[in-house]
Amino acid sequence: MSTDLLKDALKRLNHIVEKTGVNESTYQALAQPQRTLSSNISIRRDNGKLDYFKAYRCQYNDLLGPTKGGIRFHQESDMSEVQALALWMTLKCAAVGVPFGGGKGAVTVDPKSLSPMELERLARAYIRANADFIGPDQDIPAPDVYTNARIMGWMMDEYEKIVRKKSPAVITGKPLIFGGSEGRESATGRGAFLMIERLSEKNNWNKAEQTVAIQGFGNGGYHCARLLQQAGYKVVAVSDSKGGIYCKDGLDIESIYQEKQRNKALKAVYCDDSVCESVEHKVLSNEELLALDVDILVPAALSGAITRDNAKAVSAKYIVEIANGPIEADADEILHEQGVIVIPDILANAGGVIVSYFEWCQNRQGEAWDEQTVQDKLAQYLSNAFEAAWQLRSDKGLEMRDAVYKLALKRIESALEAHGTQSYFENRE
């Protein structure tokens, strides 16, 4: 990637530690990952050719429990990105009170260049390379960018072949038939939606007057947009990797989603069953979407979307981060000076890991919760974390990002003290 993501993440972390008065030893415990496994994995292509791909798995910190984090297939993934994502997952689990540490994995590959059979071979090869590194009590993978429930099912199956026993808790985000959880598919987007609902309560919003722009129409962005529209907010713009669409009167999210599934194109349409009519709209770039005059901006694509170069162009009053690290550290102060309130990724997109935790619990207990139970528990976890951070923000005069980070860091600090700081650092040597 063009940015050293880990360096940027640690720069922000160090700044927040200094500003909030968290113990320096806590920063030192998080200043480097505990362990990272780098592999070169090979698959046989459909034409018989053997291809190699770089693969990574990082277990950043396990103070709070076994590490947890997704596996992404993306052509720009590298070790710095994986380690930064694992750091954020460490902080995310701590912020919302989930008893996991942070992990992450990736394969440097363009998944769109692979056939379905090649994709399965890659998923299974990744597990063969990491089988001794993961496990339900050690490190639990999940889906991420360009991976999904089907791929998780292949990975779980491969792991079970290696260990010669059923082990559904080794991976979350699986198909329901393999022990997946109800509500997992929409959890990330629902979590961001719930955070916007909490903001609405704090500000007594008339939802119909609140305009929203969402950069990224993948799983998280789509579900957040769908739930926002259903709740009465006006979603005026959405985008994917090719660009965006804008309609000042609001978009019909489900119709746009149906059209994209049919024709692989993002178009402003309204559908009545299978009949869709085009709605008057403006085509715009992702950069233009970020600068729209809206109330709420939701970056839900990849990291580094908002930088010090374009932060001044942001007009939104609130930013809710679904993507991991969509705002670079150097842009934080600019947004703060503009009065923008940011709900950071380690809270706003935590719905996925919370429901993954629920799935892990169900697998280990041999239970299957209904969707309403999952959604109620998710809302409780996120509301508790939001309220705790909001209270810190009010009491200490902190920015919301700083408050959420302090909440996470204090929990890690408590675990470090309970573990014994000297013993912890000796065991890492």
Side-chain angles (χ1 to χ4, degrees):
M1 300 186 71
S2 57
T3 300
D4 186 330
L5 213 57
L6 180 61
K7 183 178 179 181
D8 193 66
L10 289 172
K11 177 181 179 180
R12 170 181 282 152
L13 179 64
N14 186 49
H15 178 66
I16 292 173
V17 165
E18 291 177 348
K19 189 160 49 168
T20 58
V22 174
N23 195 306
E24 175 65 19
S25 62
T26 304
Y27 173 76
Q28 292 302 323
L30 296 170
Q32 60 283 309
Q34 283 181 266
R35 59 190 73 89
T36 304
L37 179 63
S38 175
S39 313
N40 287 294
I41 60 177
S42 63
I43 65 166
R44 185 73 62 182
R45 302 298 289 258
D46 292 343
N47 62 7
K49 179 186 174 184
L50 194 65
D51 263 359
Y52 289 84
F53 302 93
K54 200 73 177 176
Y56 307 95
R57 186 69 191 175
C58 175
Q59 297 168 4
Y60 201 94
N61 186 283
D62 61 4
L63 265 170
L64 295 176
T67 52
K68 182 84 187 71
I71 300 168
R72 60 177 51 186
F73 290 174
H74 196 274
Q75 60 271 25
E76 294 185 8
S77 290
D78 59 18
M79 186 178 292
S80 174
E81 178 196 48
V82 169
Q83 291 176 338
L85 292 166
L87 167 60
W88 287 326
M89 183 60 79
T90 303
L91 295 166
K92 187 184 306 181
C93 291
V96 298
V98 167
F100 285 143
K104 209 72 178 183
V107 179
T108 308
V109 60
D110 178 4
K112 296 177 182 179
S113 70
L114 302 180
S115 72
M117 290 297 292
E118 290 168 344
L119 197 59
E120 179 177 355
R121 291 179 202 129
L122 185 66
R124 292 180 181 276
Y126 182 89
I127 292 300
R128 289 195 297 273
N130 289 274
D132 294 330
F133 204 58
I134 64 173
D137 297 306
Q138 180 180 352
D139 181 24
I140 306 112
D144 201 271
V145 175
Y146 290 123
T147 56
N148 55 25
R150 188 181 188 189
I151 291 172
M152 294 304 107
W154 290 332
M155 289 184 170
M156 184 198 74
D157 180 65
E158 190 66 24
Y159 181 83
E160 291 180 341
K161 286 179 179 178
I162 293 168
V163 300
R164 295 182 178 275
K165 63 179 179 181
K166 289 294 180 182
S167 187
V170 70
I171 282 180
T172 60
K174 309 177 295 293
L176 290 175
I177 196 66
F178 290 156
S181 177
E182 295 281 2
R184 177 61 182 85
E185 185 72 17
S186 63
T188 302
R190 180 174 293 277
F193 162 72
L194 290 170
M195 294 299 91
I196 294 172
E197 287 283 80
R198 298 290 80 77
L199 286 172
S200 179
E201 292 173 4
K202 297 296 182 185
N203 293 283
N204 296 313
W205 284 341
N206 178 346
K207 297 178 185 178
E209 296 177 354
Q210 299 303 306
T211 54
V212 186
I214 299 181
Q215 184 206 36
F217 204 61
N219 178 277
Y222 158 64
H223 284 292
C224 182
R226 174 181 62 83
L227 291 166
L228 285 169
Q229 188 193 4
Q230 289 176 0
Y233 297 86
K234 188 184 290 186
V235 182
V236 297
V238 296
S239 70
D240 60 13
S241 59
K242 298 176 183 176
I245 50 177
Y246 168 80
C247 176
K248 65 181 178 63
D249 296 322
L251 299 165
D252 186 70
I253 299 303
E254 194 58 37
S255 295
I256 294 169
Y257 179 76
Q258 291 176 22
E259 179 69 11
K260 186 171 182 181
Q261 298 307 110
R262 278 193 293 265
N263 299 311
K264 307 300 181 186
L266 200 64
K267 297 179 181 178
V269 295
Y270 177 78
C271 299
D272 186 2
D273 293 326
S274 61
V275 179
C276 297
E277 295 182 2
S278 181
V279 174
E280 185 176 348
H281 65 280
K282 178 182 177 182
V283 175
L284 72 172
S285 68
N286 273 290
E287 197 72 13
E288 289 171 326
L289 182 144
L290 295 173
L292 284 174
D293 184 13
V294 293
D295 298 298
I296 306 163
L297 175 63
V298 182
L302 294 174
S303 59
I306 299 175
T307 69
R308 62 182 176 183
D309 296 326
N310 65 3
K312 288 184 179 178
V314 173
S315 299
K317 304 174 186 69
Y318 294 87
I319 296 177
V320 179
E321 299 180 326
I322 290 183
N324 290 300
I327 301 175
E328 290 185 357
D330 287 343
D332 280 345
E333 191 60 34
I334 297 171
L335 294 172
H336 175 60
E337 289 173 358
Q338 294 173 197
V340 181
I341 294 176
V342 177
I343 306 300
D345 49 1
I346 66 169
L347 178 58
N349 72 16
V353 73
I354 293 171
V355 177
S356 279
Y357 167 56
F358 296 163
E359 182 177 332
W360 182 77
C361 290
Q362 291 170 77
N363 292 159
R364 295 177 74 90
Q365 296 164 7
E367 295 183 0
W369 304 344
D370 61 62
E371 188 168 6
Q372 192 59 53
T373 298
V374 171
Q375 290 180 6
D376 290 346
K377 286 178 175 287
L378 172 62
Q380 182 179 3
Y381 268 78
L382 283 171
S383 293
N384 289 346
F386 179 91
E387 289 299 331
W390 193 267
Q391 193 64 48
L392 266 178
R393 172 181 177 267
S394 301
D395 292 346
K396 304 294 184 181
L398 299 173
E399 298 169 46
M400 193 61 178
R401 186 189 301 280
D402 296 346
V404 176
Y405 266 67
K406 182 166 184 174
L407 183 65
L409 290 166
K410 280 295 184 182
R411 286 180 175 148
I412 293 170
E413 183 177 271
S414 296
L416 186 60
E417 290 172 354
H419 190 284
T421 304
Q422 185 64 35
S423 174
Y424 175 75
F425 283 106
E426 287 174 352
N427 290 336
R428 286 170 62 102
E429 292 176 355

